[in-house]
Amino acid sequence: SSDLSRPVSQWTPVGLGTFNANGAYDFNTQVDVVANPRMFYRVSGEIPPPPAGAMTYSMGWGWENAPAGARDNMVYVMNGVVAMFNRYGTFAKHLRVNYSPGVQTAQAGYGGDMDFGPKLEYHNFRTALHEAGHALGVGTTWQWGAQLSNGVWQGAAGRAQIKAFDGAGAEAYSDGTHYWPYGMNYNNEAGTVNFYRAVQMIAALRRDMGIGP
């Protein structure tokens, strides 16, 4: 269009094609440069979703002893958590979600077991995503500690990811078991953007540990 303010529906299509590996796209258009010395172009692109991941889950033991509705609620929560991990990465892991009255809040190990206690306020998306991180290696493998120096993450992928989110001076920190920011350690960290960033951080940290793609 020669007029940037013209509604998009009134712009003239000039080409259709595919971007190459370098992000370039060529097209030809016949424009009278004398009559139209200034032209504007818009690009509309279709972005395919990332490949689906391999995370799965099953409801484990103990739920027959949980409060009414707790199991159905956890199924709803885990459906969302697993879908998010699979939407934004490839995590080859099967999670077993258990109910354990002896657990104060929730806990998980690298083997894949996630145990939720009787405090229903912890049966939520933020907590389940946090515990899934432990099942994926956050603070639960020897490779985790090998990537830390004075509580600061040293792995290249993790450092690059946190800087992409928060700027060149940003670092990821850990107490040896958890990490921050985006570790989903507290409910005030919950939110759509932070959930996405948590998944991306876990993927990067796993690459540094050599346990993920």
Side-chain angles (χ1 to χ4, degrees):
S1 173
S2 60
D3 182 0
L4 186 60
S5 65
R6 183 176 298 166
V8 176
S9 60
Q10 297 178 15
W11 288 44
T12 302
V14 295
L16 179 66
T18 303
F19 291 102
N20 64 25
N22 296 319
Y25 165 55
D26 296 325
F27 65 92
N28 295 313
T29 179
Q30 300 297 322
V31 175
D32 185 340
V33 295
V34 176
N36 300 284
R38 185 177 64 172
M39 295 295 292
F40 299 94
Y41 296 87
R42 299 170 63 99
V43 177
S44 177
E46 182 180 34
I47 302 175
M55 180 181 283
T56 58
Y57 85 96
S58 59
M59 298 301 289
W61 46 261
W63 290 100
E64 67 278 6
N65 301 315
R71 186 184 188 282
D72 289 344
N73 175 72
M74 187 52 64
V75 168
Y76 176 80
V77 167
M78 289 304 301
N79 283 346
V81 168
V82 169
M84 189 159 199
F85 274 102
N86 285 339
R87 176 69 176 81
Y88 293 112
T90 301
F91 301 87
K93 195 78 174 185
H94 181 75
L95 308 176
R96 291 170 297 277
V97 185
N98 310 311
Y99 177 76
S100 177
V103 173
Q104 288 296 307
T105 56
Q107 63 186 25
Y110 189 56
D113 280 293
M114 296 170 57
D115 303 329
F116 291 83
K119 296 182 180 179
L120 299 184
E121 62 266 33
Y122 292 102
H123 294 203
N124 59 37
F125 192 98
R126 191 278 306 172
T127 303
L129 194 154
H130 171 93
E131 298 303 335
H134 287 311
L136 289 166
V138 172
T140 54
T141 66
W142 68 264
Q143 293 98 324
W144 180 266
Q147 296 292 328
L148 297 173
S149 177
N150 296 320
V152 180
W153 190 262
Q154 301 300 306
R159 297 194 72 198
Q161 187 63 79
I162 196 64
K163 292 178 189 303
F165 287 149
D166 293 343
E171 300 285 359
Y173 301 92
S174 175
D175 59 5
T177 303
H178 304 94
Y179 76 92
W180 61 89
Y182 310 116
M184 296 297 104
N185 302 299
Y186 303 99
N187 282 336
N188 61 9
E189 296 176 85
T192 303
V193 172
N194 282 358
F195 291 149
Y196 163 78
R197 291 186 175 188
V199 171
Q200 295 298 298
M201 282 299 301
I202 291 170
L205 301 176
R206 281 168 54 84
R207 289 196 297 275
D208 284 336
M209 291 188 287
I211 58 175

